[in-house]
Amino acid sequence: MWHKISVWQYQQMYPIITNPSKDWTEFDIECKLVGIVNNLTEKQVTELSKKELNKLRAEVLFLKDDYEGQPVKRIYTNGKVYKFIDDAKHINAARYIESKFFCKDIIPNLHKVAASIVIPQKRIWFKWVDLKYDSDLHQEYANDILYANFKEVYYSVVFFYQVFQDWMPITQDYLIANLKQKGMQDMRAEKVAAILWNILDGSIVPK
């Protein structure tokens, strides 16, 4: 069943699973999860027959299992295709910092994190061609990723950060060079880089 769960669905389920209300019974939790997994409203869930509801309740038990998975090269979502960046050299400091900011609350922001480390693609004849990444379209990319498979997105994001952490090009010199490319003067670039380095230091990579 994990292959049917989208990023958006898991984001709705996450607080129910990890921090349920003290007033909810196990039955209440299962009914809420049934609704999310099957795209049913609360009213539609309550209108199910006992037999139907028990069947669907049994089906959501998979959510108690670990969602083991593997990273993917690209995702097909909302009628579009996005390729995950697998080489740390292909992402600049600004996008890395942006993604690390969202990583502070990884599951609720998973679509935003992923949108910072993908490249939109288009199939031309028999091959996939990279399209230009437009930072102004970050929210559009993120909204598309909400419809993607949760496990594919999650493990691809984790894989990226593991690779990036091993390479670690985000030094103050690297930040300064990127800021200078944007036209920032030397002294200001050094000051801003020092601030950004302090922000990045100690940031938590998703596990």
Side-chain angles (χ1 to χ4, degrees):
M1 285 289 287
W2 275 112
H3 67 284
K4 295 182 178 180
I5 303 301
S6 69
V7 170
W8 182 86
Q9 284 176 308
Y10 191 75
Q11 287 174 335
Q12 305 309 303
M13 293 187 286
Y14 185 69
I16 295 173
I17 296 171
T18 61
N19 189 31
S21 170
K22 294 179 180 179
D23 297 330
W24 295 346
T25 64
E26 191 68 24
F27 177 79
D28 293 329
I29 293 172
E30 290 176 358
C31 286
K32 291 178 184 297
L33 297 177
V34 163
I36 296 170
V37 170
N38 296 280
N39 296 310
L40 299 174
T41 65
E42 187 174 335
K43 184 174 184 294
Q44 288 174 317
V45 172
T46 59
E47 291 175 347
L48 292 171
S49 68
K50 184 177 180 180
K51 181 178 179 180
E52 290 175 318
L53 180 57
N54 286 339
K55 177 178 178 294
L56 295 179
R57 284 174 60 203
E59 290 178 355
V60 300
L61 292 178
F62 75 93
L63 293 169
K64 296 181 179 180
D65 299 330
D66 290 336
Y67 41 86
E68 295 182 2
Q70 298 292 328
V72 296
K73 187 171 184 178
R74 61 178 57 88
I75 51 173
Y76 306 82
T77 175
N78 202 28
K80 300 176 186 177
V81 178
Y82 292 94
K83 180 184 76 174
F84 279 99
I85 296 172
D86 58 5
D87 189 332
K89 296 189 294 292
H90 292 163
I91 184 171
N92 61 31
R95 286 174 68 182
Y96 179 77
I97 293 166
E98 177 182 63
S99 66
K100 290 292 282 185
F101 173 78
F102 292 128
C103 275
K104 292 177 181 178
D105 206 357
I106 182 64
I107 297 299
N109 289 318
L110 184 61
H111 58 305
K112 296 179 182 179
V113 176
S116 296
I117 59 172
V118 295
I119 298 174
Q121 286 193 314
K122 182 178 182 180
R123 193 171 183 85
I124 298 180
W125 291 100
F126 299 106
K127 65 178 182 178
W128 291 104
V129 177
D130 292 347
L131 302 178
K132 181 180 179 182
Y133 181 91
D134 188 342
S135 59
D136 291 336
L137 297 180
H138 179 271
Q139 189 59 53
E140 180 180 315
Y141 301 156
N143 289 340
D144 287 337
I145 293 171
L146 283 172
Y147 297 94
N149 178 263
F150 166 73
K151 281 177 59 175
E152 290 183 349
V153 174
Y154 179 81
Y155 279 99
S156 297
V157 167
V158 170
F159 175 76
F160 171 82
Y161 279 99
Q162 289 173 339
V163 170
F164 212 114
Q165 192 173 43
D166 290 340
W167 187 60
M168 278 305 291
I170 303 299
T171 63
Q172 289 196 45
D173 289 339
Y174 180 80
L175 290 171
I176 290 170
N178 270 267
L179 292 170
K180 286 181 179 178
Q181 286 178 4
K182 300 294 184 182
M184 191 175 289
Q185 295 181 351
D186 290 3
M187 288 295 291
R188 179 166 172 75
E190 290 176 7
K191 289 180 180 179
V192 172
I195 294 171
L196 293 176
W197 179 251
N198 287 332
I199 293 173
L200 288 174
D201 186 31
S203 292
I204 299 172
V205 177
K207 298 295 184 182

